Amino acid sequence: MGYTKWIGAFLGYVSGGTLGALAGFALGTLFDTFTKSSDASFESNANRAYGNTAEDILNRARQSQQGDRNGFLFSLMVLSAHIIQADGKIMHSEMEHVRNFLRANFGETAVEQGNNILLRLFDYRKQHGEQSWKQQIGEACRQMRMAMPEEHRLQLVAFLADIAKADGITAESEIRELRNVAYNLGLNPQVIDQMLSLGGQSLDDAYKVLGLTKDATDDEVRKAYRKLALQYHPDRVATLGDDVKEAAKKKFQELNDAKDKIYKARNL
């Protein structure tokens, strides 16, 4: 199941009310901005019938990658709206975290459009109530699970964890909703504890990043690190764009920092 299908399914599921026009807004105006960095040769070939030349094969690959990127970004907006309100408040710091991400990578127009999508989703949640909203978010996550490879889902959850940490306080309600999102995305909810511990300064944080306790053997430490290094390697999200890959590099470095703390403490 592709990204386009899940987005269509989600927008159809929440159609009406304040989201009645969201499909055109999100898939039109917003994605025009998200894709403005595509060069003219790609756009000139996007609507013609493809043959089997090397150029046509390359264009098909690029079109597929752009679809992955668009789907990832829309998924991020939908789930950001959920996590931002998880503690019952809309914090400026969390909103600004999303705005800064859009601003840094797509410019001010994308900031305005992304902000409008968040506000529409907030309004929809308010009008339809928590039960309806959470049911729809759960369904959206299940659609994403079918559309996204695991490495994309992991990076998506990593962004959401950063949003929850943006105000310096991660409430229990935020952690609970992050775990629910991870579960519905087909991931082990434990990944949330690992991601919330990334960047921590203590040895305890380092063990949490690897999903271990201080009682773990040296072999268990090595095995856990190797597994995570494969899962979180930046090359695994290369199709989502350079900006997402750069964010993955930061997470990968934080993983290595945690490993180094443990190795140093154990003289490995």
Side-chain angles (χ1 to χ4, degrees):
M1 180 176 183
Y3 280 96
T4 303
K5 290 183 179 179
W6 106 249
I7 293 172
F10 175 75
L11 293 173
Y13 195 61
V14 300
S15 61
T18 59
L19 290 186
L22 183 56
F25 183 83
L27 299 178
T29 310
L30 180 62
F31 285 172
D32 282 345
T33 301
F34 281 163
T35 61
K36 68 181 180 180
S37 60
S38 298
D39 60 32
S41 64
F42 170 71
E43 293 184 4
S44 67
N45 285 301
N47 295 319
R48 70 178 176 85
Y50 289 115
N52 292 313
T53 66
E55 181 183 4
D56 293 333
I57 293 171
L58 177 61
N59 283 329
R60 283 199 296 273
R62 293 174 65 195
Q63 187 177 43
S64 176
Q65 290 179 4
Q66 193 63 58
D68 286 352
R69 178 173 171 76
N70 290 348
F72 180 87
L73 290 168
F74 188 70
S75 302
L76 177 61
M77 299 305 298
V78 170
L79 294 181
S80 293
H82 181 57
I83 297 303
I84 286 172
Q85 286 194 298
D87 58 358
K89 300 173 288 187
I90 300 176
M91 299 297 293
H92 172 77
S93 54
E94 295 174 344
M95 290 288 289
E96 195 62 19
H97 185 86
V98 178
R99 293 188 192 109
N100 286 339
F101 170 76
L102 296 174
R103 182 178 293 111
N105 298 291
F106 308 105
E108 289 298 331
T109 301
V111 174
E112 179 182 356
Q113 292 169 344
N115 193 67
N116 285 340
I117 280 187
L118 290 175
L119 293 178
R120 288 177 185 225
L121 289 167
F122 293 155
D123 190 49
Y124 181 89
R125 183 175 188 166
K126 181 179 179 180
Q127 289 192 21
H128 290 77
E130 287 298 297
Q131 183 176 355
S132 175
W133 171 258
K134 289 185 178 181
Q135 180 183 359
Q136 292 169 13
I137 287 296
E139 177 60 26
C141 288
R142 288 186 283 275
Q143 297 285 351
M144 294 176 202
R145 182 176 63 201
M146 291 187 287
M148 293 182 181
E150 182 183 37
E151 54 267 27
H152 291 191
R153 285 176 276 141
L154 284 168
Q155 189 60 39
L156 179 60
V157 171
F159 274 116
L160 297 176
D162 281 346
I163 291 171
K165 292 192 292 184
D167 61 357
I169 301 173
T170 307
E172 283 299 321
S173 57
E174 292 176 308
I175 296 173
R176 182 173 61 252
E177 290 307 320
L178 283 168
R179 287 172 177 161
N180 286 338
V181 165
Y183 176 80
N184 286 319
L185 286 173
L187 302 172
N188 187 333
Q190 183 187 8
V191 303
I192 298 304
D193 298 315
Q194 294 173 271
M195 290 175 178
L196 291 175
S197 299
L198 282 168
Q201 300 303 308
S202 72
L203 187 59
D204 285 340
D205 287 330
Y207 277 107
K208 288 178 182 178
V209 168
L210 295 192
L212 299 173
T213 67
K214 291 182 178 179
D215 296 331
T217 67
D218 290 348
D219 284 344
E220 287 173 332
V221 169
R222 294 188 183 97
K223 183 178 179 181
Y225 169 73
R226 287 195 296 267
K227 179 181 178 181
L228 291 173
L230 286 173
Q231 286 181 321
Y232 291 101
H233 197 283
D235 287 347
R236 302 197 70 172
V237 295
T239 62
L240 297 178
D242 290 342
D243 51 307
V244 178
K245 187 175 180 180
E246 283 301 312
K249 285 181 180 179
K250 181 177 181 293
K251 296 297 179 189
F252 192 68
Q253 182 58 55
E254 290 174 339
L255 170 62
N256 282 320
D257 290 344
K259 180 262 294 182
D260 290 343
K261 281 188 178 71
I262 296 172
Y263 276 34
K264 183 178 180 179
R266 290 175 175 242
N267 294 318
L268 294 177

